[in-house]
Amino acid sequence: MGTGKFASGELMAAALVASGAELVTVALRRADLTGGKDKFANILTFLDPKKYQLLPNTSGARTAEEACRLARLGREATGSTWLKLEIHPDPRYLLPDPIETMKAAEILIKDGFTVLPYINADPVLAKRLADAGCATVMPLGSPIGSARGLETRASLAIIIEQATVPVVVDAGLGAPSHAAAAMEMGADAVLVNTAVAVASDPVRMADAFKTAVIAGRSAYEIGLAPQRQEADATSPLTGFLNQ
Amino acid sequence: MSFVATFNSLPAVELRRHSQNATLSEFETALQHPNLESFAVLISPAADLEKLAALAQKTTLRHFGKVIRLYAPLYLSNECINICRYCGFSRDNPILRVTLTPEQVAAEARYLQTEGFRHILLVAGEHPHFVSNNFLRDCVAKLRPEWPSIALEVGPLETEEYRPIVEAGAEGLVIYQETYDREVYTSMHTSGPKMNFDWRLETPERAYQAGFKRIGIGALLGLSDWRSEAIAVAAHIQYLLKHCWKAQINVSVPRIRPAAGEFQPLSQVTERELVKFVCALRLTFPEVGISLSTRETAKLRDGLIPLGVTMISAGSHTEPGGYTGQGRADLHLTKGGRRIDSEGEHATVQFEIADNRSPAQVAAKLDTMGYEPVWKDWDISLNG
Amino acid sequence: MAKIIANGNEIEIRQPYRLSDWLQQTGWKPTQVVVELNGEVIPRSQFSNVELCEGDRLEVILPVAGG
């Protein structure tokens, strides 16, 4: 679960509990030095590190270099090497930069980070990041906050089929059904933020997403029923066996 | 972590049972979801062969079109330090042996060029002295200028040993596990480095690390129950597609042929079963190349081309010097690693071939079938 | 007095000034923030051993809500 866009720290904490999330992302920003208190004071006070694996992200970084700097600050802030590597230079669609992400991933992996890269649904990039040592790949379903679901479904299917690391579908999941669909395809997890945070009742929406994820996973494990298609019979192709 | 771990944790018994008693409706479902579980169903007795063939043809056309890649095997040496009960080259077979010099290899290769081939598979027994890594590298380097695509089928090596061979210009490596049944493997390989099952099983991954672009695997059908072997081969392909994702994975489906040492196959694999195996492979792994050598008859090879076979050899000789008589003056027996000079017409073959058509005859038949023979598909120089 | 840049703003500080003392007057507890001095992350354990001096570039970073 992402922790952004919630109306309050308390509401966010309640939604996290309802979601059953295990990975929780946090961002990094400059502190207000004028003595006034930030609205969120410090988010870590709402997040019990024993219950959640904290995942500082590098949002705000537009280059590999900036991402590496934020990563080191994040490691110091959370005391964990886990990192959501996200580099999006375009503030409008917040789509990830593959080149800077690849560059940063290689540096950070050597520096001992557990890198979970947020990427577009690019199967070759996913393989190269896994080869480089990323712990997972986190392809987007559709742009952050767009709530358009699995627009990248075909590429996601390829990534999931070829993956040697867990696949987390992150971004654009606007409804529980999107999350269920991702899990039915074989995704290992989903990362949701906006759809829960801006819901009229975030706690119930978080619970709805949890249920959808569990349902989708079960369906995947059971194996989906076949779509009935009649294969057209052609002339006997194996007639040569009878000669 | 390598395929050995995955292989050891395969639910082999359950998959094998499912490949025996799957129902027709399970067959229908299996056609929808290509994976290892459904592959077991596609090779089951319940699988309708004609329906399987129809879908395999459609899939092959979609992925490969109407082209067949032609290659020629060139045997460098029939020396070997392993004892393998099924192979003509086994160390304990008193056969006429020879190892060609790079120059003799080049002469054989020139003949194959005149036949039209541009893809060559260099084959040799495993022998640290007669068939050393440097010898293999020199042969590849010698052929590189004329041959755009060179592959090797030799004893397994370490990644660092493969690298100079890749740098000399080899792009493909073929390594058959022979049998994926550990007990049968032990009884088949009684002496020499080939006794190490796991080390051989990891060879494709070591080859990938060394930079080989095409990797061929397979089981020698007839050593053990064919359905168990088929499932193991499918699992191996699935693993390699995921972990050696930049390589083209190919599979071969050789059935045992008569060879020196008169080895009798332990299990019979009928033509219908071989066809079912090829179709199931094609449906489960649409993009994997399937090769069929001159071990099989013309009728079976021609019949299998539309159903999934994408690479065939033609006019093959399975003994060193087979094409132009190179090395005849150097024929000898090998006992305890020492040469005993001997007379003879030609070196002993690895196995009898069944399709004796010339490359030109095979190409002509392909034309009549509406397939284009591809003599040259890739050029290693493009790899820079 | 010495001029330093903290979170992008130029400020004047008395000399000598330990980082831990300066941080206290901003109201942030060491456990709440992460500090980067001239591009290097300073572990919290070192806050009281570091002296701020002329021209230092200081970043005080806070974990906040984010997706």
Side-chain angles (χ1 to χ4, degrees), chain A residues 44-66:
Chain A
L44 297 187
T45 53
F46 296 97
L47 298 173
D48 176 356
K50 282 193 291 304
K51 270 192 9 216
Y52 305 110
Q53 170 63 59
L54 293 182
L55 194 58
N57 67 32
T58 60
S59 68
R62 285 151 311 190
T63 65
E65 201 194 333
E66 287 174 4

Side-chain angles (χ1 to χ4, degrees), chain A residues 127 131 162 232 236-238, chain B residues 32 50 54 58 242 245 272:
Chain A
K127 286 305 280 184
D131 283 358
Q162 295 191 322
D232 49 341
L237 282 157
T238 52
Chain B
Q32 309 284 344
E50 187 59 29
K58 218 177 286 177
K242 217 179 236 195
W245 60 283
R272 292 190 80 80

Side-chain angles (χ1 to χ4, degrees), chain B residues 263-313:
Chain B
F263 175 79
Q264 287 314 317
L266 296 151
S267 78
Q268 265 314 337
V269 184
T270 67
E271 286 189 349
R272 292 190 80 80
E273 287 164 338
L274 184 60
V275 170
K276 186 167 271 189
F277 183 16
V278 167
C279 293
L281 279 173
R282 175 53 63 228
L283 287 178
T284 310
F285 307 106
E287 74 284 359
V288 163
I290 300 176
S291 76
L292 198 59
S293 72
T294 49
R295 286 172 182 269
E296 299 298 347
T297 62
K299 178 195 78 170
L300 186 58
R301 285 182 1 132
D302 297 344
L304 272 169
I305 282 170
L307 308 185
V309 168
T310 56
M311 287 177 289
I312 60 172
S313 55

